[in-house]
Amino acid sequence: MTVSRTICLGFAVVISIGALLLTMPFSGTSGNWNDPIVALFTSTSAVCVTGHVVVDTATYFSRVGQFVVMMLIQIGGLGYMTVTTFLLLLLGRRFGLKDKVAIQQSLDRQALQGSSQVLKSIIATTLIFELTGAFLLLLVFVPDVGWPKGLWFSLFHSVSAWNNAGFGLFSDNLVGYRASFLVNAVITGLIIFGGIGYEVILEFYLIIREKMTRQIMKTSRTLNFQVAVSTTLFLLIGGTLAIWAIEIHNPATLAPMPLSEQLLGAWFQAVTSRTAGFNTIDISKMTTAGLFVTIALMLIGGSPGGTAGGIKTTTARVLASCTYAILQGKESVVIYRRQVPNSLLLKAIAVTFGSVMTVVVATIAISLAEPKLNFINILFEVVSAFATVGLSTGITAGLTTFSKLVLVATMYIGRVGILLLISALIGDPKASAIRYPEESLLVG
């Protein structure tokens, strides 16, 4: 079996097991068997670290069910291949070539070397951030709900935030904590670092260590690091200003708040729109312009190698640089004095085209099944599912079974990646030695 098929099948198996567990009576608060569609939707949303829900996670699922959801989020965020390969390493199995290729594809790495060490670093980084986040959230949740519940809420929300899942155990998500600077800072911090990519975090750590020890820079900043960090900062700052400027006069969202809460709310939504799914304002009451800005942020998503979804910041940056190169009359794309290979340009175009087509098909399918729903709400729902965000305008629970299954498929495609899924279906691509003559045609 090819690596791409192993990854895609692995995610499907985990989703199926999760759905079966969430169907069991012990997973629900009612003590009865749970709705299979609800279980499948929730399991898919958790494994795909989306956060889309059709029921209230806090009241529908028991503590056992919530624990199952958290574990599915953890497996989905780390990636099926990362978890299984790490467990095999713990059991003493040798790290073979196939395992290295699998990790390379699942983490979107360019090199095979050092995969075992990278794997251990990923697990360590995940535990450090999640435990730190849980400890800080304890300071807020324990005074509000007590020790046992506060401890569980802190751990659950920390895991959910780091993995960019967006699942919450409060019925209003985090709206009740929109004025809490600590909650906003911890959740957004976990989302940003979780979605920026493990290799970026590692490189950031090496840079800080060298500066603190006053060593001469032994490692030059990679192009991936520079593009991921600069594009992320641009989207966060630009998204915050855009949402604040648009929603500042909306009496249902930011208008009634003082300036400090307005900026905090706009910042939180700009961060969470990049594939996390938490919210501190009512998404269903945002203006159409605000929803469209959020759609754009969701579609771009986070960075490669992290827990975020979307087409990725690097893809968006490559396409923007490609457009700039055309306007400058250049025949090559250069970013930070580095020429981008043509193979990456083709991959960026393929990812974007495949993503747009997936969104278009899913939106058409749901529009046909739900003729009474507003188009912008359907588009928002589909992009949120594909980019594994989980934000919703409140229409998810009322969708037909067909529309829910469309969203399940959309979340799955968004998590495994459109190119990886196609490779799994038709087989891994093989290089061809045939070269054809060039001919120009009219474009644009």
Side-chain angles (χ1 to χ4, degrees), residues 1-9 12 105 358 409 412-413 416-429:
M1 183 181 292
T2 62
V3 173
S4 56
R5 287 177 183 170
T6 301
I7 295 173
C8 291
L9 183 60
Q105 289 198 13
T358 302
Y412 177 76
I413 295 172
V416 301
I418 183 66
L419 296 186
L420 190 68
L421 181 61
I422 293 174
S423 296
L425 294 175
I426 65 175
D428 291 335

Side-chain angles (χ1 to χ4, degrees), residues 3-220:
V3 173
S4 56
R5 287 177 183 170
T6 301
I7 295 173
C8 291
L9 183 60
F11 272 104
V13 169
V14 175
I15 289 171
S16 301
I17 294 174
L20 180 62
L21 291 174
L22 292 176
T23 307
M24 299 291 183
F26 57 72
S27 291
T29 54
S30 65
N32 301 319
W33 289 86
N34 296 318
D35 185 349
I37 296 298
V38 171
L40 175 62
F41 193 98
T42 305
S43 179
T44 305
S45 183
V47 175
C48 297
V49 289
T50 303
H52 255 319
V53 292
V54 289
V55 294
D56 185 359
T57 307
T59 57
Y60 186 88
F61 292 108
S62 64
R63 190 61 55 85
V64 175
Q66 293 169 8
F67 179 78
V68 171
V69 171
M70 187 183 75
M71 293 308 298
L72 292 174
I73 291 171
Q74 190 72 84
I75 295 172
L78 287 171
Y80 163 76
M81 290 306 304
T82 301
V83 174
T84 53
T85 308
F86 182 73
L87 291 176
L88 290 174
L89 281 176
L90 291 180
L91 294 175
R93 177 184 151 180
R94 291 186 61 187
F95 206 67
L97 178 61
K98 187 176 181 180
D99 298 317
K100 293 180 181 181
V101 173
I103 293 299
Q104 179 195 30
Q105 289 198 13
S106 61
L107 297 179
D108 202 17
R109 297 187 73 229
Q110 296 184 7
L112 290 175
Q113 294 84 0
S115 296
S116 176
Q117 190 60 40
V118 167
L119 196 61
K120 295 174 183 177
S121 299
I122 288 174
I123 301 296
T125 302
T126 298
L127 291 176
I128 291 171
F129 272 92
E130 288 180 350
L131 292 177
T132 302
F135 173 77
L136 293 174
L137 290 175
L138 275 174
L139 303 176
V140 178
F141 291 159
V142 169
D144 290 347
V145 297
W147 258 107
K149 209 172 184 179
L151 179 62
W152 171 240
F153 277 27
S154 299
L155 181 61
F156 187 96
H157 285 87
S158 181
V159 171
S160 183
W162 169 257
N163 291 286
N164 282 212
F167 277 89
L169 295 180
F170 296 100
S171 297
D172 62 351
N173 206 282
L174 293 176
V175 174
Y177 291 93
R178 68 186 183 192
S180 172
F181 178 80
L182 182 59
V183 171
N184 279 262
V186 172
I187 295 296
T188 55
L190 289 171
I191 292 170
I192 292 171
F193 280 102
I196 204 168
Y198 296 105
E199 292 196 7
V200 173
I201 294 175
L202 178 60
E203 192 168 341
F204 190 64
Y205 164 75
L206 293 175
I207 291 173
I208 293 178
R209 188 181 68 176
E210 289 178 352
K211 287 189 175 181
M212 289 182 66
T213 56
R214 297 181 179 179
Q215 295 178 355
I216 299 175
M217 294 290 288
K218 297 178 181 179
T219 55
S220 59

Side-chain angles (χ1 to χ4, degrees), residues 292 295 298 359 363 374-384:
F292 206 79
I295 288 174
M298 290 193 298
V359 169
T363 303
N374 192 346
F375 172 76
I376 188 69
N377 289 345
I378 295 176
L379 179 63
F380 188 96
E381 210 78 9
V382 170
V383 173
S384 179

